[in-house]
Amino acid sequence: MQIVETSNEGLKRAYTVTIAAADIASRIEGEVKKVAPQVRMPGFRAGKVPANLVRKMHGPALHQEALNTSIREAMDKLVADHKLRPAMQPDVALGEGYEEGKDAELTVSLEVLPEITVPSLEGIKLERLVVPVSEEQVDEQVERIASGQKKFSDAEDGAEAKDGDQLVIDFVGKVDGVAFDGGSAEDQTLEIGSGRFIPGFEEQLVGAKKGDEKTITVTFPEDYPAENLKGKEATFDITVKAVKNPGEFVADDEFAKMLGLESLEQLRGLLKGQIEQETAGLTRTAMKRSLLDQLAAGHDFAVPPSMVEAEFAQIWQQLEHEAGHEEDPAEALKEIEAEKDDYRKIAERRVRLGLLLSEIGQANGVQVSQQEMEMLIRQAAQQYREEDRQRFLEYVRNEPLAAAQLRAPLYEEKVVDFLFDKAEVAEREVTRDELQAAIEADENGAAPAAKPAAKKKAPAKKAAAEASAEAADADEGEEKPAAKKKAPAKKAAAEAPAEAADADEGEEKPAAKKKAPAKKKAEEA
């Protein structure tokens, strides 16, 4: 075998590799001897078919297998002899005109990982913003849960509905005097002040009494999802069938037992733990972003273009996906298209930080254990149907690249934790709003102070993209935008779409105003 380097420029390498015909022929002979005992042919005893007949019957397949094996071994030798660290799978091409009996000439091109000097871990300074959980916050959470458990009882005859009361109504909606689809309902419950219905609807029912029949006029919002109703004035003929008052809420052990718990103390403890866990995630996000900014500021080595391109493709795919969920997809696509170069720079930053963290981890013995890897694989398998899980497990265990994609996010977090332990960390107590403001300020390019003051503010999506260092967690790291719930047909026209008051039902706010940041799992962990 002959290997000749033809190009060595930056991180790019190119070689010609010649595999002698005699070597391939020898391997074919070995394959013939290996399969001959299993060949069956009329007129010959099992295992006694002559080699020349075996070659005649299976020659093309045996030659292809021998050639493929020779190429794999040639690539292993190339990497080992030249001490290469390929960034991506090498591009290997067999010379035109090759046929059995001739030397196989390969052209190989690849990019290698850069030589990275492991940085000193001295001098890393971080600030941990801690949010203590107050009793008032826990009280708010208890009240929020209680609001979803409200019980209403019939008001006295003749009582006028007030804010917080519940009405049972029939209604028919009309535009230009004509009833429209989805604009009618019977026995619809409505809590006045909940904000579930379009603006102006609930307010006009304050003072209504059981048995009242009235017509109200409202205007649908300009961003209403139904095209035929956007900005339209509509009337609703309403019959009030009942007025109900909310029962008085008492936070006590009985209330906790209704939720399946032993006591109010246990409920408050669980809620406090949830709040602490949530704020701890925000604290980690702020610390990790600061750490990555410090690492990025101190390292500017060249990175393999193919890795940058692969990472950019992942970012771009996610951005296009999110743009497709905006109210004006075309405008959203136009906006990100104008900043395409910025996102390519973000991809480069993420690849560079990923390589740097990997180098730090290897140099300091950070590892993902086999037990942790098995847990990752099994967790990933849960997203597949039961009948497909076993095939997924086998695929990941036999495909190094797939396993590496699963491993990468966890490995990054373990390296980050290692660096947290090595850093000089100052703790500062802040409020939840102050912590959120600190994160948002960093997202907009206003922090840390080391950034140039004149630097253009990056959109929140860019900051979120920058915050993750991982280059390999394509499909595993990205969080998909939540799909909006559809309101039932009988309520669709009257209820405001995904307004803030529907938070308890899990609905999103409209995507109209400001876009939500594109989140990465690595950023939030």
Side-chain angles (χ1 to χ4, degrees):
M1 182 186 304
Q2 183 180 10
I3 300 175
V4 178
E5 185 178 75
T6 58
S7 178
N8 186 331
E9 183 178 348
L11 299 177
K12 295 182 178 181
R13 304 286 187 274
Y15 302 86
T16 59
V17 179
T18 303
I19 304 174
D23 292 340
I24 300 174
S26 175
R27 191 175 295 278
I28 293 174
E29 289 301 319
E31 291 293 328
V32 169
K33 291 178 181 178
K34 187 166 63 177
V35 303
Q38 287 87 44
V39 174
R40 299 290 185 269
M41 182 179 290
F44 295 94
R45 286 181 297 163
K48 298 299 183 180
V49 180
N52 62 324
L53 291 180
V54 174
R55 191 179 293 106
K56 186 175 182 180
M57 290 174 60
H58 303 285
L62 293 174
H63 170 253
Q64 189 61 54
E65 179 61 28
L67 180 61
N68 290 342
T69 302
S70 296
I71 291 175
R72 284 196 297 270
E73 289 187 356
M75 294 307 302
D76 290 343
K77 181 173 175 56
L78 169 64
V79 170
D81 289 355
H82 289 74
K83 296 181 174 58
L84 302 176
R85 296 198 303 163
M88 304 283 279
Q89 192 71 23
D91 183 16
V92 182
L94 181 62
E96 293 184 9
Y98 169 75
E99 59 185 35
E100 186 175 355
K102 291 186 176 181
D103 292 347
E105 293 188 355
L106 310 175
T107 57
V108 182
S109 58
L110 72 158
E111 292 174 351
V112 297
L113 296 176
E115 293 295 329
I116 302 172
T117 302
V118 179
S120 168
L121 304 183
E122 301 297 325
I124 298 178
K125 295 184 179 180
L126 299 172
E127 187 175 48
R128 181 183 287 111
L129 303 179
V130 179
V131 180
V133 179
S134 66
E135 292 301 311
E136 289 76 12
Q137 286 176 293
V138 178
D139 290 340
E140 289 176 6
Q141 291 298 311
V142 172
E143 289 177 13
R144 184 184 65 78
I145 293 174
S147 68
Q149 305 289 326
K150 278 184 185 176
K151 291 186 177 180
F152 293 88
S153 57
D154 290 331
E156 295 181 359
D157 288 343
E160 296 184 350
K162 59 186 180 299
D163 196 51
D165 285 347
Q166 184 187 74
L167 301 181
V168 180
I169 60 175
D170 295 344
F171 61 81
V172 178
K174 301 175 183 178
V175 172
D176 297 330
V178 179
F180 54 87
D181 290 341
S184 302
E186 295 181 355
D187 295 326
Q188 174 68 56
T189 58
L190 163 63
E191 183 181 341
I192 297 177
S194 66
R196 285 178 56 202
F197 283 58
I198 57 178
F201 194 106
E202 297 170 18
E203 292 84 344
Q204 294 183 63
L205 293 177
V206 173
K209 299 187 292 294
K210 179 181 179 180
D212 281 357
E213 294 183 359
K214 63 188 302 182
T215 298
I216 65 173
T217 301
V218 295
T219 300
F220 282 93
E222 291 293 340
D223 60 356
Y224 196 75
E227 289 292 334
N228 62 319
L229 297 176
K230 283 184 177 180
K232 293 287 184 66
E233 184 178 272
T235 61
F236 284 88
D237 298 331
I238 298 173
T239 300
V240 180
K241 302 175 79 171
V243 176
K244 297 175 178 286
N245 302 134
E248 184 178 349
F249 161 67
V250 179
D252 55 14
D253 289 343
E254 288 303 313
F255 171 69
K257 288 175 181 177
M258 284 174 51
L259 302 175
L261 302 175
E262 294 180 357
S263 64
L264 179 62
E265 183 180 357
Q266 184 185 18
L267 172 61
R268 293 181 67 86
L270 289 172
L271 292 174
K272 183 175 182 180
Q274 289 176 356
I275 298 171
E276 288 174 339
Q277 186 175 15
E278 182 184 350
T279 55
L282 294 174
T283 295
R284 182 184 174 84
T285 294
M287 279 184 68
K288 180 177 177 181
R289 185 168 293 149
S290 176
L291 171 66
L292 295 181
D293 282 344
Q294 289 184 51
L295 292 175
H299 299 85
D300 192 26
F301 51 83
V303 293
S306 59
M307 292 184 72
V308 174
E309 193 57 39
E311 181 66 14
F312 173 74
Q314 294 161 14
I315 294 173
W316 198 250
Q317 181 182 30
Q318 176 67 10
L319 291 171
E320 287 182 325
H321 177 83
E322 291 179 354
H325 286 74
E326 298 288 355
E327 289 196 358
D328 187 348
E331 182 61 30
L333 284 171
K334 182 179 177 182
E335 181 182 330
I336 63 172
E337 189 72 38
E339 298 170 337
K340 202 167 189 175
D341 289 344
D342 290 340
Y343 285 111
R344 199 174 294 278
K345 290 176 182 176
I346 289 171
E348 182 177 329
R349 165 193 161 102
R350 282 168 53 169
V351 171
R352 183 175 292 111
L353 284 170
L355 293 174
L356 184 58
L357 288 176
S358 177
E359 205 73 26
I360 292 172
Q362 291 179 43
N364 291 279
V366 178
Q367 294 181 343
V368 173
S369 69
Q370 188 59 41
Q371 183 178 3
E372 290 171 326
M373 196 65 209
E374 282 295 319
M375 187 179 298
L376 280 176
I377 294 172
R378 293 194 176 279
Q379 287 175 345
Q382 294 306 309
Q383 65 184 300
Y384 294 93
R385 294 177 301 181
E386 189 171 350
E387 59 267 29
D388 295 329
R389 287 175 190 168
Q390 190 57 41
R391 281 190 296 170
F392 171 79
L393 292 173
E394 292 174 2
Y395 168 70
V396 172
R397 286 167 180 155
N398 295 319
E399 179 54 56
L401 182 57
Q405 288 179 326
L406 285 178
R407 174 182 177 274
L410 176 59
Y411 188 75
E412 175 183 310
E413 292 310 309
K414 296 191 77 166
V415 176
V416 167
D417 285 335
F418 169 78
L419 291 172
F420 283 170
D421 290 340
K422 294 292 183 182
E424 180 183 330
V425 180
E427 196 166 283
R428 179 160 64 93
E429 195 172 289
V430 296
T431 65
R432 169 67 179 263
D433 288 343
E434 288 172 334
L435 175 57
Q436 193 67 53
I439 293 174
E440 290 174 359
D442 194 28
E443 285 178 346
N444 290 322
K451 292 186 178 180
K455 181 178 179 179
K456 181 181 176 183
K457 289 187 178 182
K461 282 186 179 179
K462 286 189 199 169
E466 288 175 344
S468 175
E470 198 52 62
D473 58 341
D475 297 322
E476 304 298 324
E478 309 243 347
E479 185 178 293
K480 301 292 188 289
K484 292 185 179 179
K485 280 187 180 179
K486 292 184 179 178
K490 70 177 184 179
K491 298 198 276 183
E495 294 196 38
E499 289 295 340
D502 286 331
D504 292 344
E505 298 180 11
E507 296 181 3
E508 293 182 317
K509 292 186 179 180
K513 297 98 185 173
K514 193 174 180 182
K515 296 178 187 174
K519 297 186 178 84
K520 291 285 289 178
K521 183 163 67 178
E523 176 188 339
E524 296 182 328

